[in-house]
């Protein structure tokens, strides 16, 4: 029985999907004007892990995660680089896809873009105006925040508290609003950036409206889970609820989930582009094994803050290496394993108890930290079993398959993928260079890798040739 901490109710609730066995899940994706930093990557990995666990538990997950490809920041970067806004968006969507793939993040079933949904956005806004929840003024359209009586419930703020903050804002926009709390659905602009015609004038959509439109269009008027970073709870998700429920008259999302920040520095400052204290995923996956970063991001409970430092990253590297060694040593023992042994029942009973414990921990609001702790216990059991004088191939293959299955929930894969021809050629060059440099450890490592892959090398006066064993 899965329990989810619902930000809206501020308590754990038993998960009951709208449709039995199926999950409709929407997660706010990146604004594509730069490479994602580790904090952005944490959200991407956290919800990928949650999605994977739901699938492990038998749910069919329809996973939608948008990209914001219309934004003032994108337009600013486009001007700085001498590019168009769509060119900037496409560049960093490609980068986001590459970085996510390196982190073993499963592609979303659908990745909607704002530019593809402008007609839907205009229709959505028109309904809000018709219902009296929005109003147009001088080419802009604003949402009447006070008309939505539950506003502030998600972020646990009263309308009076919000009014104090809003009343301190200044600027031309505040002068034309009916109320300082009202927020923009459509913004009139003539700044030379990308714009569209609308019934209210030339402009572009506000940020908050896009997710309401795309989530309801692709997942229905009520969805099971809506996720995103903790910083999105207010005002973005608060505004999404107000817009969506005003239009449909129905609950927008049954469960609201928010991941904690990644912090950096001595004072645990939130990592963000605006503060300039970020490290990009793009940079890290080029310098380190991407599996280490994935493990670092996935192995902490998604709601807890996560400190990024050399020490914490190194700790993740060490722990992942231990798990990999466990897996590889056990795979090696399969070479001399016997078909079956009668005295393995106790071991298998203990193993099944650990799987049950893993499910129990992960069912409790996807507690990855506790789930990983159980996996460490599994590794210990495998190590002890693998060191026995005689081991069963049936038992060992079973536990390794189940061990691997649990690790894939966290995006960790230990099976060696088949090398493609270009990779083989590159490794042969590296092997030859290692031999010339008398780095025989690396040379032997590459040789062993080729042997595992069934690749035969032939060193000739004309160079090294290779072939795959039939």
């Amino acid at each position: 029985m899965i329990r989810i901490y619902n930000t809206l109710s501020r308590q754990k609730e038993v998960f009951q999907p709208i449709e039995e066995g199926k999950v409709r899940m929407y997660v706010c994706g990146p604004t594509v004007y730069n490479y994602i930093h580790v904090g952005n990557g944490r959200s991407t990995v956290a919800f990928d892990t949650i999605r994977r666990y739901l699938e492990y538990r038998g749910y069919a997950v329809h996973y939608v995660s948008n990209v914001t490809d219309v934004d003032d920041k994108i337009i600013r970067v486009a001007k700085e680089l001498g590019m168009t806004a769509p060119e900037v968006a496409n560049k960093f969507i490609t980068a986001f896809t590459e970085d996510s793939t390196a982190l073993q993040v499963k592609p979303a079933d659908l990745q909607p873009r704002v530019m593809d949904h402008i007609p839907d956005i205009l229709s959505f806004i028109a309904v809000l105006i018709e219902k009296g929840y929005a109003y147009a003024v001088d080419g802009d359209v604003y949402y009447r925040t006070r008309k939505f009586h539950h506003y502030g419930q998600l972020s646990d703020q009263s309308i009076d508290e919000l009014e104090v903050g809003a009343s301190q804002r200044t600027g031309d926009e505040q002068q034309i609003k009916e109320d300082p709390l009202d927020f923009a659905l459509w913004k009139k602009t003539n700044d030379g950036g990308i714009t569209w015609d609308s019934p209210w004038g030339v402009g572009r959509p506000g940020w908050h409206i896009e997710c309401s439109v795309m989530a309801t269009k692709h997942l229905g008027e009520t969805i099971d889970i809506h996720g995103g970073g903790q910083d999105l709870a207010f005002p973005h998700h608060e505004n999404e609820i107000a817009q969506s429920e005003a239009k449909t008259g129905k609950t927008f999302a049954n469960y609201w989930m928010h991941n904690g920040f990644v912090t950096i520095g001595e004072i645990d400052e939130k990592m963000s582009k605006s503060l300039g204290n970020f490290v990009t995923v793009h940079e890290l996956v080029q310098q380190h094994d991407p599996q280490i970063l994935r493990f670092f991001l996935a192995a902490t409970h998604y709601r807890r803050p996560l400190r990024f430092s050399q020490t914490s990253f190194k700790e993740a590297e060490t722990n992942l290496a231990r798990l990999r060694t466990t897996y590889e040593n056990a795979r090696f023992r399969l070479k001399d394993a016997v078909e079956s042994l009668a005295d393995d029942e106790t071991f298998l009973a203990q193993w099944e108890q650990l799987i049950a414990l893993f499910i129990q921990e992960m069912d409790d609001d996807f507690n990855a930290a506790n789930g990983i702790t159980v996996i460490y216990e599994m590794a210990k059991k495998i190590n002890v079993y693998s060191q026995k004088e005689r081991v069963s191939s049936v038992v060992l293959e079973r536990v390794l398959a189940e061990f691997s299955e649990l690790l894939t929930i966290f995006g960790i894969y230990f099976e060696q993928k088949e090398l493609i021809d270009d990779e083989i050629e590159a490794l042969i060059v590296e092997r030859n260079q290692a031999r010339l440099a008398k780095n025989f450890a690396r040379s032997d490592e590459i040789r062993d890798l080729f042997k595992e892959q069934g690749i035969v090398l032939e060193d000739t006066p004309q160079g090294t040739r290779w072939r795959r064993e039939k």
Side-chain angles (χ1 to χ4, degrees), residues 32 73 121 254 261 266 298 318 376 396 458:
V32 283
K73 294 175 184 145
I121 290 171
N254 289 332
F261 295 134
E266 295 298 324
T318 300
Y376 292 150
L396 207 50
E458 295 178 5

Side-chain angles (χ1 to χ4, degrees), residues 246-273:
K247 178 178 181 289
T248 68
K250 301 176 182 178
T251 298
F252 177 38
N254 289 332
Y255 302 88
W256 285 90
M257 302 179 68
H258 294 93
N259 64 273
F261 295 134
V262 171
T263 63
I264 193 168
E266 295 298 324
I267 59 173
D268 283 339
E269 186 177 51
K270 174 197 167 188
M271 184 182 291
S272 72
K273 292 187 178 77

Side-chain angles (χ1 to χ4, degrees), residues 100-328:
S100 298
T101 300
L103 293 177
Q104 297 290 354
V105 173
K106 294 179 64 174
D109 295 313
L110 190 64
Q111 189 181 60
R113 299 173 57 164
V114 181
M115 288 192 197
D116 297 331
H117 291 77
I118 298 301
D120 302 299
I121 290 171
L122 295 176
S123 298
F124 198 111
I125 293 173
V127 173
L128 291 176
I129 292 176
E130 182 183 348
K131 288 190 169 188
Y133 280 94
Y135 59 95
V137 53
D138 195 24
D140 294 331
V141 180
Y142 294 98
Y143 184 92
R144 288 190 173 99
T145 302
R146 287 185 188 276
K147 188 173 176 64
F148 187 74
H149 300 304
H150 300 298
Y151 195 82
Q153 185 176 359
L154 181 69
S155 53
D156 195 21
Q157 301 180 83
S158 71
I159 202 76
D160 293 331
E161 291 172 330
L162 294 168
E163 182 180 23
V164 171
S167 64
Q168 295 173 351
R169 300 176 198 152
T170 59
D172 295 339
E173 183 185 53
Q174 293 298 94
Q175 301 303 314
I176 62 175
K177 291 181 183 179
E178 291 180 356
D179 189 302
L181 287 174
D182 296 347
F183 59 88
L185 303 175
W186 186 263
K187 299 184 290 184
K188 175 186 67 176
T189 181
N190 56 2
D191 62 1
I194 187 168
T195 58
W196 290 267
D197 290 330
S198 81
W200 317 286
V202 174
R204 51 181 175 262
W207 174 37
H208 311 297
I209 192 69
E210 64 184 67
C211 285
S212 288
V213 170
M214 291 187 281
T216 55
K217 177 175 181 177
H218 298 295
L219 292 173
E221 293 179 337
T222 301
I223 64 178
D224 291 301
I225 296 172
H226 194 312
Q230 180 182 332
D231 55 331
L232 297 182
F234 184 85
H236 185 53
H237 290 165
E238 197 78 72
N239 292 351
E240 279 190 64
I241 293 172
Q243 295 161 161
S244 304
E245 297 188 2
K247 178 178 181 289
T248 68
K250 301 176 182 178
T251 298
F252 177 38
N254 289 332
Y255 302 88
W256 285 90
M257 302 179 68
H258 294 93
N259 64 273
F261 295 134
V262 171
T263 63
I264 193 168
E266 295 298 324
I267 59 173
D268 283 339
E269 186 177 51
K270 174 197 167 188
M271 184 182 291
S272 72
K273 292 187 178 77
S274 61
L275 295 174
N277 62 353
F278 63 93
V279 180
T280 69
V281 172
H282 193 75
E283 177 185 4
L284 279 174
V285 298
Q286 291 178 353
Q287 298 173 348
H288 303 277
D289 180 354
Q291 291 267 70
I292 299 170
L293 180 56
R294 170 75 197 219
F295 190 69
F296 169 75
L297 294 172
T300 299
H301 190 287
Y302 74 94
R303 285 193 289 115
R304 291 183 61 84
L306 177 61
R307 172 184 273 191
F308 180 81
S309 67
Q310 288 187 346
T311 300
S312 59
F313 193 77
K314 184 65 178 178
E315 182 180 355
E317 182 179 17
T318 300
N319 290 333
L320 181 62
R322 288 172 178 165
L323 293 176
R324 187 187 299 276
T325 299
T326 293
Y327 179 85
E328 291 176 347

Side-chain angles (χ1 to χ4, degrees), residues 91 107 267 271 297 349 359 380 383 433 444-445:
K91 170 183 170 67
I267 59 173
M271 184 182 291
L297 294 172
I359 292 172
K380 292 178 183 177
N383 287 335
Q433 291 173 342
D444 291 345
E445 187 177 295

Side-chain angles (χ1 to χ4, degrees), residues 86-101:
E87 286 172 342
V88 170
N90 289 336
K91 170 183 170 67
F92 289 111
I93 287 172
T94 298
F96 173 71
T97 301
E98 291 173 351
D99 293 342
S100 298
T101 300

